[in-house]
Amino acid sequence: MKHGKWPLLATFLLPPLALYAYFVISPYAQTFVISTTDWHGLSRNYNVVGLDNFKRLWNDEHIWNALLHNLWLLLLLPVVTILLGLFLATMLNVGGRSGRITGVWGASVYKLIYFAPQMLSVAVIGVLWTEVYNPRSGLLNAGLRAIGLDGLAQIWLGDPDVALAAVIAVMVWSNVGFYVVLFGAAMQSVPKDIYEAAALDGASRFATMFKITVPLLWDTIQVAWVYLAIIAMDSFALVQIMTRGGPSFSTDVIGERVYDVSFGDSQFGYGSAIGVVMFFLTLTITIVALRLTRRERIELS
Amino acid sequence: MSTLTSADPATEAAATRRAPAKRSGGKSLVDGTLNVFSHGFLLVWGLLTALPLLWAVLSAFKSDNEILSDPWGLPGSLRWDNFSRAWTHGHIGQYFLNTGIVLIGSLTLTMLLGATAAYALARYQFWGNRIVYFAFVGGMMFPVVLAFVPLFFVVRDAGMLNTLPGLMLVYTAYSLPFTVFFLTAFFRTLPTAVSEAALIDGCGPFRLFFRVMLPMAKPGLISVGIFNFLAHWNQYLLPVVLLKDENKYVLAQGLAALAVSEGYRGDYSRLFAGLTLAMLPVLVVYAVFQRQIQAGLTAGQMK
């Protein structure tokens, strides 16, 4: 591959690199610079204020409030989604008799339905669930009243005490199907004799799940955790559509703060500083997760 | 029939399912109840997933009055005019067209630029190869929100604010990290013997790529293509920042705007019709290609 190497490299690499540098690298780099200024708007005038934005951020209770919600998301979204995903995938794949990997009747239909929300855009999911939660005409309250549980009917997205849980539930709803399929694929690759041996020893289904399936799928579960953690940090699109961080900041997340402070209050310097903090948090979470994964692999081998 | 030896697992599984009571012995009885149990759980989650979607489709046929007074009821008659109102007055048709234009451009560009860059990085040794690779892949770690403010001005300075080509280029640029990451790994796995044979036969490096390597990489290209299609289709925040002109709105953005305006006007039937129009085409495509889509997406996340 010596002849004609450089013409090919130039035509193959330069266009994507140029596009990437202009639209991705340069904005990211600029954000770090802007975060040290007091830039306020559409004019090009600003003062360099050093780390003042970050000091202000430390004392901003809205930031801590939003961070707390990100933390809840970070804890609840992966745990609930993975547990539900594992549970449903076990029911689907390790069905039949005594833990045999035959797949339960109708497994493909279940998978078809579970995975469907994955195909919907975040706007569709957000608008759909805003209507489901609609206190007057929504599916949820009407359903609760129909089965006599009037007391449980809520103004779901209008009540600061339940709004965050309602949003997290939507995120779980839309993500579970993907992990059912992902874990299902991993379960299919586990040798059948392991399950048959467990069945011979008289292991119950739940023992099989926690003693065999979970350890063997540990790698996949960790990949799932990293992805869900990133979704939890990043997915303010849904919050933006469903609640815009309200009511009274009860569903506010860091991404929403960056957006509101920057484009709402045109405090671009301060907004960028919040973004930078968010970046370092995401980076830390990713590194910690990757470290944990690596250590686990060494112990196993 | 003993519990553990069986000639045909399929028929036996069917037997367990249909007639758990016929089986003797404690173990099979437990299995039978567990099976009912597991179907119960599977059905509950299936209903939880499908009901909101079905409800939205049914509500699209109702009148506003029916939607408000009887959320669980069936539509009194099929009001197709809800859809035509959503398509024209709600501008869903226009938004569809815009989304289609952007997707055709952004997907073609993403696949072309991603594949060429990944191929160069996977198959050629040169100084800076690693640096370029990590520059691309590093982009996966940054939350897009972080770039919003400067991106707005970068796009404006290029004269592409409020334009569909601007959005195509931005989608492409932000899809390159994952596309390059995935396809580099894929091109590395392709056998070198084939490309060496082609070179000996007098195949030039460009022809080698388009005639030999690209066809060989088809499974990887399909996986990453599905992933990018859904990611671009899904995009909400980038258009919100970069498109302020209502005639240029893409579907996701238009739908969210429609939801806000219908909230004020109380025209729910049009909103549900718009929602259904935005939802059904993807779900139909998904139902047809579900195997490829599920396999492609899970392969994309595992690497």
Side-chain angles (χ1 to χ4, degrees):
Chain A
M1 295 203 192
K2 273 160 205 130
H3 186 67
K5 173 177 166 181
W6 292 110
L8 179 129
L9 282 185
T11 35
F12 275 22
L13 267 182
L14 290 183
L17 254 184
L19 189 75
Y20 184 66
Y22 187 75
F23 284 116
V24 182
I25 296 182
S26 110
Y28 280 140
Q30 286 180 48
T31 299
F32 285 87
V33 179
I34 295 172
S35 71
T36 64
T37 68
D38 66 352
W39 191 33
H40 257 276
L42 304 184
S43 79
R44 295 270 163 181
N45 304 321
Y46 57 82
N47 303 306
V48 175
V49 294
L51 295 178
D52 280 7
N53 284 330
F54 294 92
K55 281 178 201 149
R56 182 180 153 196
L57 203 149
W58 184 259
N59 296 314
D60 187 339
E61 59 179 48
H62 287 318
I63 299 294
W64 289 105
N65 171 54
L67 258 182
L68 183 71
H69 296 150
N70 271 107
L71 198 69
W72 274 115
L73 271 169
L74 209 55
L75 278 173
L76 284 177
L77 180 69
V79 169
V80 177
T81 310
I82 289 175
L83 279 181
L84 254 175
L86 270 177
F87 177 70
L88 292 170
T90 311
M91 293 295 178
L92 274 180
N93 294 289
V94 197
R97 271 186 345 113
S98 302
R100 196 184 290 276
I101 323 181
T102 49
V104 107
W105 180 82
S108 59
V109 179
Y110 284 126
K111 271 197 265 179
L112 175 80
I113 294 170
Y114 293 175
F115 200 82
Q118 193 70 26
M119 307 301 297
L120 301 175
S121 79
V122 67
V124 168
I125 293 173
V127 171
L128 173 65
W129 275 90
T130 310
E131 292 308 320
V132 170
Y133 284 139
N134 188 316
R136 197 175 148 210
S137 60
L139 181 71
L140 189 54
N141 275 357
L144 288 172
R145 290 194 187 108
I147 53 173
L149 292 170
D150 297 52
L152 286 178
Q154 303 267 353
I155 9 166
W156 300 96
L157 295 175
D159 182 344
D161 292 332
V162 288
L164 185 65
V167 172
I168 295 178
V170 176
M171 291 176 76
V172 171
W173 177 83
S174 61
N175 279 303
V176 161
F178 179 83
Y179 293 95
V180 171
V181 173
L182 188 77
F183 293 145
M187 280 173 191
Q188 294 293 337
S189 66
V190 170
K192 291 189 186 213
D193 19 330
I194 295 185
Y195 283 110
E196 277 163 8
L200 263 176
D201 290 346
S204 77
R205 270 250 278 241
F206 293 97
T208 314
M209 178 169 164
F210 285 107
K211 298 265 168 67
I212 298 177
T213 309
V214 171
L216 284 175
L217 261 60
W218 200 234
D219 269 5
T220 316
I221 292 172
Q222 279 172 325
V223 171
W225 195 85
V226 174
Y227 275 103
L228 284 163
I230 291 173
I231 291 174
M233 283 305 284
D234 207 18
S235 68
F236 93 96
L238 195 69
V239 167
Q240 169 79 13
I241 294 165
M242 291 183 73
T243 63
R244 290 182 193 266
S248 57
F249 297 99
S250 61
T251 58
D252 209 15
V253 289
I254 290 290
E256 182 69 36
R257 285 284 89 216
V258 177
Y259 186 87
D260 278 0
V261 167
S262 303
F263 292 99
D265 312 340
S266 41
Q267 298 182 15
F268 291 125
Y270 188 46
S272 297
I274 301 171
V276 168
V277 170
M278 183 182 169
F279 163 67
F280 281 111
L281 283 176
T282 313
L283 190 70
T284 314
I285 291 162
T286 314
I287 289 173
V288 167
L290 289 178
R291 272 282 156 83
L292 289 175
T293 321
R294 188 181 302 159
R295 190 188 300 150
E296 200 63 38
R297 283 215 178 105
I298 291 166
E299 276 173 7
L300 277 174
S301 60
Chain B
M1 211 166 15
S2 81
T3 325
L4 286 163
T5 55
S6 65
D8 185 358
T11 51
E12 205 195 19
T16 324
R17 209 172 48 241
R18 291 203 188 108
K22 268 190 203 163
R23 318 193 105 253
S24 54
K27 191 169 186 78
S28 51
L29 203 76
V30 170
D31 276 343
T33 40
L34 260 181
N35 227 330
V36 173
F37 224 56
S38 64
H39 269 291
F41 284 118
L42 292 170
L43 265 176
V44 166
W45 190 258
L47 281 177
L48 277 177
T49 314
L51 260 185
L53 304 177
L54 286 176
W55 175 71
V57 175
L58 282 179
S59 298
F61 289 102
K62 292 180 175 178
S63 68
D64 283 326
N65 199 19
E66 285 173 324
I67 290 172
L68 290 171
S69 61
D70 188 10
W72 277 72
L74 290 169
S77 62
L78 296 180
R79 289 181 184 79
W80 291 100
D81 65 299
N82 288 342
F83 289 95
S84 55
R85 274 188 306 135
W87 187 262
T88 49
H89 296 291
H91 305 289
I92 293 291
Q94 180 67 44
Y95 302 153
F96 248 113
L97 186 69
N98 294 341
T99 310
I101 294 170
V102 172
L103 274 183
I104 290 170
S106 65
L107 271 181
T108 315
L109 260 182
T110 305
M111 297 311 287
L112 184 71
L113 296 182
T116 51
Y119 177 71
L121 290 169
R123 288 289 178 150
Y124 286 87
Q125 291 302 314
F126 58 92
W127 189 90
N129 183 312
R130 293 285 82 191
I131 300 171
V132 174
Y133 175 74
F134 282 115
F136 271 123
V137 172
M140 282 195 290
M141 300 218 284
F142 290 77
V144 187
V145 195
L146 188 57
F148 274 180
V149 175
L151 183 67
F152 176 83
F153 292 98
V154 160
V155 174
R156 195 186 68 174
D157 292 348
M160 288 200 269
L161 208 61
N162 279 325
T163 67
L164 298 182
L167 205 58
M168 285 176 201
L169 290 179
V170 171
Y171 280 11
T172 306
Y174 282 87
S175 304
L176 282 176
F178 181 76
T179 309
V180 169
F181 172 67
F182 185 85
L183 287 179
T184 307
F186 203 86
F187 278 122
R188 283 212 192 99
T189 62
L190 297 181
T192 47
V194 178
S195 57
E196 276 161 12
L199 283 174
I200 289 167
D201 286 349
C203 186
F206 285 94
R207 262 188 63 178
L208 172 69
F209 174 72
F210 287 106
R211 288 294 177 80
V212 181
M213 301 308 271
L214 267 192
M216 272 173 36
K218 208 171 146 196
L221 293 174
I222 290 175
S223 285
V224 90
I226 294 171
F227 178 87
N228 280 326
F229 175 84
L230 287 177
H232 293 184
W233 172 264
N234 230 321
Q235 210 25 270
Y236 170 73
L237 295 169
L238 284 172
V240 164
V241 174
L242 299 176
L243 291 180
K244 303 287 182 198
D245 176 358
E246 259 187 65
N247 294 318
K248 302 281 175 57
Y249 274 6
V250 294
L251 195 55
Q253 185 185 13
L255 193 66
L258 194 68
V260 173
S261 69
E262 305 305 46
Y264 292 126
R265 297 157 41 105
D267 191 349
Y268 287 102
S269 51
R270 194 166 83 178
L271 175 63
F272 278 110
L275 196 61
T276 304
L277 285 170
M279 191 166 80
L280 274 190
V282 235
L283 289 181
V284 169
V285 172
Y286 163 64
V288 176
F289 296 105
Q290 50 139 331
R291 265 174 214 291
Q292 290 91 322
I293 290 172
Q294 287 183 359
L297 275 182
T298 40
Q301 305 268 318
M302 291 292 280
K303 294 265 153 97

